[in-house]
mmCIF file of all heavy atoms in Angstrom:
data_model
loop_
_atom_site.group_PDB
_atom_site.id
_atom_site.type_symbol
_atom_site.label_atom_id
_atom_site.label_comp_id
_atom_site.label_asym_id
_atom_site.label_seq_id
_atom_site.Cartn_x
_atom_site.Cartn_y
_atom_site.Cartn_z
ATOM 1 N N ALA A 1 92.826 179.070 -79.639
ATOM 2 C CA ALA A 1 92.073 178.192 -78.733
ATOM 3 C C ALA A 1 92.623 178.289 -77.320
ATOM 4 O O ALA A 1 91.870 178.282 -76.334
ATOM 5 C CB ALA A 1 92.128 176.753 -79.219
ATOM 6 N N ARG A 2 94.023 178.394 -77.226
ATOM 7 C CA ARG A 2 94.592 178.502 -75.889
ATOM 8 C C ARG A 2 94.204 179.838 -75.240
ATOM 9 O O ARG A 2 93.934 179.901 -74.031
ATOM 10 C CB ARG A 2 96.121 178.399 -75.971
ATOM 11 C CG ARG A 2 96.650 177.143 -76.662
ATOM 12 C CD ARG A 2 96.449 175.882 -75.826
ATOM 13 N NE ARG A 2 95.106 175.367 -75.815
ATOM 14 C CZ ARG A 2 94.594 174.610 -76.800
ATOM 15 N NH1 ARG A 2 95.256 174.336 -77.891
ATOM 16 N NH2 ARG A 2 93.376 174.117 -76.684
ATOM 17 N N LEU A 3 94.186 180.915 -76.046
ATOM 18 C CA LEU A 3 93.772 182.214 -75.503
ATOM 19 C C LEU A 3 92.304 182.177 -75.063
ATOM 20 O O LEU A 3 91.938 182.752 -74.031
ATOM 21 C CB LEU A 3 93.991 183.310 -76.554
ATOM 22 C CG LEU A 3 95.450 183.670 -76.882
ATOM 23 C CD1 LEU A 3 95.512 184.655 -78.048
ATOM 24 C CD2 LEU A 3 96.131 184.275 -75.646
ATOM 25 N N ALA A 4 91.473 181.504 -75.847
ATOM 26 C CA ALA A 4 90.046 181.399 -75.481
ATOM 27 C C ALA A 4 89.880 180.629 -74.181
ATOM 28 O O ALA A 4 89.044 180.973 -73.329
ATOM 29 C CB ALA A 4 89.272 180.715 -76.599
ATOM 30 N N GLU A 5 90.715 179.576 -73.996
ATOM 31 C CA GLU A 5 90.636 178.833 -72.742
ATOM 32 C C GLU A 5 91.013 179.709 -71.562
ATOM 33 O O GLU A 5 90.420 179.613 -70.476
ATOM 34 C CB GLU A 5 91.567 177.616 -72.813
ATOM 35 C CG GLU A 5 91.036 176.511 -73.719
ATOM 36 C CD GLU A 5 92.009 175.350 -73.835
ATOM 37 O OE1 GLU A 5 93.222 175.560 -73.606
ATOM 38 O OE2 GLU A 5 91.545 174.237 -74.160
ATOM 39 N N MET A 6 91.994 180.601 -71.778
ATOM 40 C CA MET A 6 92.382 181.516 -70.703
ATOM 41 C C MET A 6 91.248 182.495 -70.390
ATOM 42 O O MET A 6 90.996 182.815 -69.225
ATOM 43 C CB MET A 6 93.657 182.276 -71.107
ATOM 44 C CG MET A 6 94.892 181.393 -71.222
ATOM 45 S SD MET A 6 96.348 182.299 -71.783
ATOM 46 C CE MET A 6 96.498 183.522 -70.489
ATOM 47 N N ASP A 7 90.554 182.953 -71.430
ATOM 48 C CA ASP A 7 89.411 183.861 -71.205
ATOM 49 C C ASP A 7 88.325 183.165 -70.372
ATOM 50 O O ASP A 7 87.755 183.761 -69.448
ATOM 51 C CB ASP A 7 88.825 184.316 -72.537
ATOM 52 C CG ASP A 7 89.743 185.293 -73.271
ATOM 53 O OD1 ASP A 7 90.599 185.906 -72.590
ATOM 54 O OD2 ASP A 7 89.584 185.426 -74.497
ATOM 55 N N LEU A 8 88.060 181.928 -70.722
ATOM 56 C CA LEU A 8 87.016 181.203 -69.980
ATOM 57 C C LEU A 8 87.446 180.938 -68.542
ATOM 58 O O LEU A 8 86.613 180.910 -67.624
ATOM 59 C CB LEU A 8 86.689 179.878 -70.681
ATOM 60 C CG LEU A 8 86.070 179.976 -72.079
ATOM 61 C CD1 LEU A 8 85.748 178.585 -72.627
ATOM 62 C CD2 LEU A 8 84.825 180.844 -72.077
ATOM 63 N N ALA A 9 88.744 180.734 -68.362
ATOM 64 C CA ALA A 9 89.231 180.452 -67.012
ATOM 65 C C ALA A 9 89.163 181.679 -66.109
ATOM 66 O O ALA A 9 89.148 181.549 -64.880
ATOM 67 C CB ALA A 9 90.670 179.928 -67.076
ATOM 68 N N THR A 10 89.149 182.859 -66.689
ATOM 69 C CA THR A 10 89.122 184.099 -65.884
ATOM 70 C C THR A 10 87.730 184.722 -65.818
ATOM 71 O O THR A 10 87.596 185.896 -65.448
ATOM 72 C CB THR A 10 90.114 185.112 -66.477
ATOM 73 O OG1 THR A 10 89.775 185.374 -67.844
ATOM 74 C CG2 THR A 10 91.539 184.578 -66.386
ATOM 75 N N LEU A 11 86.697 183.976 -66.165
ATOM 76 C CA LEU A 11 85.329 184.518 -66.078
ATOM 77 C C LEU A 11 84.970 184.816 -64.619
ATOM 78 O O LEU A 11 85.426 184.124 -63.698
ATOM 79 C CB LEU A 11 84.314 183.508 -66.648
ATOM 80 C CG LEU A 11 84.265 183.349 -68.169
ATOM 81 C CD1 LEU A 11 83.326 182.198 -68.533
ATOM 82 C CD2 LEU A 11 83.818 184.646 -68.835
ATOM 83 N N PRO A 12 84.155 185.835 -64.368
ATOM 84 C CA PRO A 12 83.711 186.112 -62.989
ATOM 85 C C PRO A 12 82.968 184.911 -62.409
ATOM 86 O O PRO A 12 82.339 184.125 -63.127
ATOM 87 C CB PRO A 12 82.785 187.316 -63.151
ATOM 88 C CG PRO A 12 83.194 187.954 -64.439
ATOM 89 C CD PRO A 12 83.640 186.824 -65.320
ATOM 90 N N ASP A 13 83.047 184.783 -61.095
ATOM 91 C CA ASP A 13 82.378 183.648 -60.452
ATOM 92 C C ASP A 13 80.856 183.798 -60.437
ATOM 93 O O ASP A 13 80.128 182.799 -60.471
ATOM 94 C CB ASP A 13 82.887 183.499 -59.010
ATOM 95 C CG ASP A 13 84.347 183.053 -58.979
ATOM 96 O OD1 ASP A 13 84.786 182.422 -59.946
ATOM 97 O OD2 ASP A 13 85.027 183.361 -57.972
ATOM 98 N N ASP A 14 80.369 185.039 -60.327
ATOM 99 C CA ASP A 14 78.918 185.229 -60.249
ATOM 100 C C ASP A 14 78.289 185.024 -61.617
ATOM 101 O O ASP A 14 78.900 185.291 -62.658
ATOM 102 C CB ASP A 14 78.587 186.624 -59.710
ATOM 103 C CG ASP A 14 79.059 187.727 -60.633
ATOM 104 O OD1 ASP A 14 80.294 188.013 -60.634
ATOM 105 O OD2 ASP A 14 78.233 188.296 -61.349
ATOM 106 N N THR A 15 77.055 184.551 -61.599
ATOM 107 C CA THR A 15 76.363 184.193 -62.844
ATOM 108 C C THR A 15 76.167 185.390 -63.748
ATOM 109 O O THR A 15 76.439 185.332 -64.959
ATOM 110 C CB THR A 15 74.996 183.556 -62.513
ATOM 111 O OG1 THR A 15 75.198 182.420 -61.670
ATOM 112 C CG2 THR A 15 74.273 183.129 -63.776
ATOM 113 N N ALA A 16 75.667 186.498 -63.176
ATOM 114 C CA ALA A 16 75.404 187.674 -63.998
ATOM 115 C C ALA A 16 76.683 188.206 -64.620
ATOM 116 O O ALA A 16 76.712 188.604 -65.799
ATOM 117 C CB ALA A 16 74.729 188.756 -63.160
ATOM 118 N N GLY A 17 77.767 188.224 -63.826
ATOM 119 C CA GLY A 17 79.038 188.707 -64.368
ATOM 120 C C GLY A 17 79.545 187.821 -65.481
ATOM 121 O O GLY A 17 80.105 188.308 -66.483
ATOM 122 N N ALA A 18 79.391 186.514 -65.335
ATOM 123 C CA ALA A 18 79.842 185.598 -66.377
ATOM 124 C C ALA A 18 79.049 185.790 -67.657
ATOM 125 O O ALA A 18 79.613 185.804 -68.767
ATOM 126 C CB ALA A 18 79.723 184.164 -65.884
ATOM 127 N N VAL A 19 77.733 185.947 -67.542
ATOM 128 C CA VAL A 19 76.906 186.159 -68.737
ATOM 129 C C VAL A 19 77.305 187.457 -69.424
ATOM 130 O O VAL A 19 77.425 187.531 -70.662
ATOM 131 C CB VAL A 19 75.415 186.163 -68.356
ATOM 132 C CG1 VAL A 19 74.558 186.590 -69.549
ATOM 133 C CG2 VAL A 19 74.977 184.798 -67.873
ATOM 134 N N ARG A 20 77.527 188.509 -68.643
ATOM 135 C CA ARG A 20 77.919 189.798 -69.230
ATOM 136 C C ARG A 20 79.288 189.703 -69.898
ATOM 137 O O ARG A 20 79.504 190.245 -70.992
ATOM 138 C CB ARG A 20 77.928 190.860 -68.138
ATOM 139 C CG ARG A 20 78.272 192.258 -68.661
ATOM 140 C CD ARG A 20 78.120 193.328 -67.585
ATOM 141 N NE ARG A 20 79.038 193.064 -66.476
ATOM 142 C CZ ARG A 20 78.666 192.619 -65.281
ATOM 143 N NH1 ARG A 20 77.381 192.368 -65.060
ATOM 144 N NH2 ARG A 20 79.558 192.401 -64.315
ATOM 145 N N ALA A 21 80.234 189.001 -69.259
ATOM 146 C CA ALA A 21 81.579 188.888 -69.825
ATOM 147 C C ALA A 21 81.587 188.084 -71.116
ATOM 148 O O ALA A 21 82.460 188.286 -71.985
ATOM 149 C CB ALA A 21 82.512 188.242 -68.796
ATOM 150 N N LEU A 22 80.646 187.172 -71.267
ATOM 151 C CA LEU A 22 80.604 186.328 -72.463
ATOM 152 C C LEU A 22 79.871 186.973 -73.632
ATOM 153 O O LEU A 22 79.805 186.386 -74.724
ATOM 154 C CB LEU A 22 79.937 184.984 -72.126
ATOM 155 C CG LEU A 22 80.765 184.033 -71.259
ATOM 156 C CD1 LEU A 22 79.899 182.865 -70.779
ATOM 157 C CD2 LEU A 22 81.980 183.517 -72.032
ATOM 158 N N ASP A 23 79.321 188.156 -73.424
ATOM 159 C CA ASP A 23 78.537 188.788 -74.485
ATOM 160 C C ASP A 23 79.380 189.027 -75.749
ATOM 161 O O ASP A 23 78.914 188.751 -76.862
ATOM 162 C CB ASP A 23 77.928 190.098 -73.985
ATOM 163 C CG ASP A 23 76.934 190.659 -74.978
ATOM 164 O OD1 ASP A 23 76.028 189.911 -75.395
ATOM 165 O OD2 ASP A 23 77.060 191.842 -75.344
ATOM 166 N N PRO A 24 80.639 189.525 -75.627
ATOM 167 C CA PRO A 24 81.439 189.712 -76.852
ATOM 168 C C PRO A 24 82.241 188.471 -77.257
ATOM 169 O O PRO A 24 82.985 188.504 -78.254
ATOM 170 C CB PRO A 24 82.392 190.853 -76.458
ATOM 171 C CG PRO A 24 82.609 190.663 -74.990
ATOM 172 C CD PRO A 24 81.320 190.115 -74.452
ATOM 173 N N TYR A 25 82.127 187.388 -76.544
ATOM 174 C CA TYR A 25 82.954 186.196 -76.786
ATOM 175 C C TYR A 25 82.562 185.545 -78.111
ATOM 176 O O TYR A 25 81.378 185.434 -78.442
ATOM 177 C CB TYR A 25 82.788 185.212 -75.628
ATOM 178 C CG TYR A 25 83.580 183.944 -75.774
ATOM 179 C CD1 TYR A 25 84.949 183.940 -75.506
ATOM 180 C CD2 TYR A 25 82.967 182.756 -76.176
ATOM 181 C CE1 TYR A 25 85.699 182.765 -75.644
ATOM 182 C CE2 TYR A 25 83.699 181.584 -76.308
ATOM 183 C CZ TYR A 25 85.065 181.594 -76.044
ATOM 184 O OH TYR A 25 85.796 180.426 -76.187
ATOM 185 N N ASP A 26 83.605 185.101 -78.857
ATOM 186 C CA ASP A 26 83.403 184.439 -80.145
ATOM 187 C C ASP A 26 83.411 182.934 -79.909
ATOM 188 O O ASP A 26 84.458 182.312 -79.742
ATOM 189 C CB ASP A 26 84.523 184.826 -81.114
ATOM 190 C CG ASP A 26 84.282 184.269 -82.513
ATOM 191 O OD1 ASP A 26 83.147 183.790 -82.766
ATOM 192 O OD2 ASP A 26 85.214 184.293 -83.325
ATOM 193 N N TRP A 27 82.223 182.362 -79.872
ATOM 194 C CA TRP A 27 82.086 180.942 -79.555
ATOM 195 C C TRP A 27 82.598 180.077 -80.696
ATOM 196 O O TRP A 27 82.331 180.311 -81.866
ATOM 197 C CB TRP A 27 80.621 180.602 -79.262
ATOM 198 C CG TRP A 27 80.052 181.329 -78.062
ATOM 199 C CD1 TRP A 27 79.492 182.556 -78.055
ATOM 200 C CD2 TRP A 27 80.028 180.841 -76.731
ATOM 201 N NE1 TRP A 27 79.092 182.901 -76.790
ATOM 202 C CE2 TRP A 27 79.407 181.857 -75.936
ATOM 203 C CE3 TRP A 27 80.462 179.684 -76.109
ATOM 204 C CZ2 TRP A 27 79.218 181.727 -74.568
ATOM 205 C CZ3 TRP A 27 80.272 179.552 -74.747
ATOM 206 C CH2 TRP A 27 79.660 180.555 -73.980
ATOM 207 N N ARG A 28 83.326 179.013 -80.331
ATOM 208 C CA ARG A 28 83.792 178.045 -81.301
ATOM 209 C C ARG A 28 82.768 176.912 -81.477
ATOM 210 O O ARG A 28 82.625 176.384 -82.568
ATOM 211 C CB ARG A 28 85.124 177.428 -80.832
ATOM 212 C CG ARG A 28 86.298 178.381 -80.775
ATOM 213 C CD ARG A 28 86.843 178.674 -82.161
ATOM 214 N NE ARG A 28 88.122 179.349 -82.089
ATOM 215 C CZ ARG A 28 89.308 178.749 -82.147
ATOM 216 N NH1 ARG A 28 89.382 177.442 -82.262
ATOM 217 N NH2 ARG A 28 90.430 179.435 -82.090
ATOM 218 N N SER A 29 82.097 176.566 -80.401
ATOM 219 C CA SER A 29 81.145 175.459 -80.430
ATOM 220 C C SER A 29 79.763 175.966 -80.835
ATOM 221 O O SER A 29 79.193 176.845 -80.167
ATOM 222 C CB SER A 29 81.074 174.789 -79.064
ATOM 223 O OG SER A 29 79.956 173.920 -78.985
ATOM 224 N N PRO A 30 79.204 175.443 -81.928
ATOM 225 C CA PRO A 30 77.830 175.840 -82.302
ATOM 226 C C PRO A 30 76.821 175.522 -81.194
ATOM 227 O O PRO A 30 75.900 176.305 -80.954
ATOM 228 C CB PRO A 30 77.562 175.022 -83.562
ATOM 229 C CG PRO A 30 78.906 174.685 -84.102
ATOM 230 C CD PRO A 30 79.796 174.522 -82.913
ATOM 231 N N GLU A 31 77.021 174.375 -80.546
ATOM 232 C CA GLU A 31 76.091 174.013 -79.467
ATOM 233 C C GLU A 31 76.180 175.012 -78.316
ATOM 234 O O GLU A 31 75.154 175.447 -77.781
ATOM 235 C CB GLU A 31 76.430 172.606 -78.962
ATOM 236 C CG GLU A 31 75.550 172.148 -77.801
ATOM 237 C CD GLU A 31 76.030 170.831 -77.195
ATOM 238 O OE1 GLU A 31 76.937 170.200 -77.774
ATOM 239 O OE2 GLU A 31 75.489 170.448 -76.134
ATOM 240 N N ALA A 32 77.407 175.396 -77.947
ATOM 241 C CA ALA A 32 77.586 176.356 -76.864
ATOM 242 C C ALA A 32 77.005 177.713 -77.236
ATOM 243 O O ALA A 32 76.371 178.397 -76.407
ATOM 244 C CB ALA A 32 79.070 176.480 -76.533
ATOM 245 N N ARG A 33 77.225 178.142 -78.510
ATOM 246 C CA ARG A 33 76.683 179.431 -78.957
ATOM 247 C C ARG A 33 75.151 179.427 -78.861
ATOM 248 O O ARG A 33 74.541 180.382 -78.400
ATOM 249 C CB ARG A 33 77.126 179.713 -80.394
ATOM 250 C CG ARG A 33 76.618 181.062 -80.935
ATOM 251 C CD ARG A 33 76.946 181.202 -82.425
ATOM 252 N NE ARG A 33 78.390 181.107 -82.642
ATOM 253 C CZ ARG A 33 79.222 182.139 -82.499
ATOM 254 N NH1 ARG A 33 78.750 183.325 -82.147
ATOM 255 N NH2 ARG A 33 80.520 181.975 -82.738
#
């Protein structure tokens, strides 16, 4: 969970970059997924 928080904290600022970076991310929250 701490590593996942670090991943989220380093997401690109731009919207498109953030969406692309989250493509392989393993979501913990069903609502967020």
Side-chain angles (χ1 to χ4, degrees):
R2 304 289 76 81
L3 290 174
E5 287 177 337
M6 293 177 60
D7 289 339
L8 295 182
T10 58
L11 286 173
D13 292 334
D14 64 283
T15 303
V19 172
R20 182 174 62 253
L22 288 169
D23 189 52
Y25 179 78
D26 186 12
W27 298 86
R28 294 284 192 95
S29 167
E31 178 188 351
R33 181 187 301 277

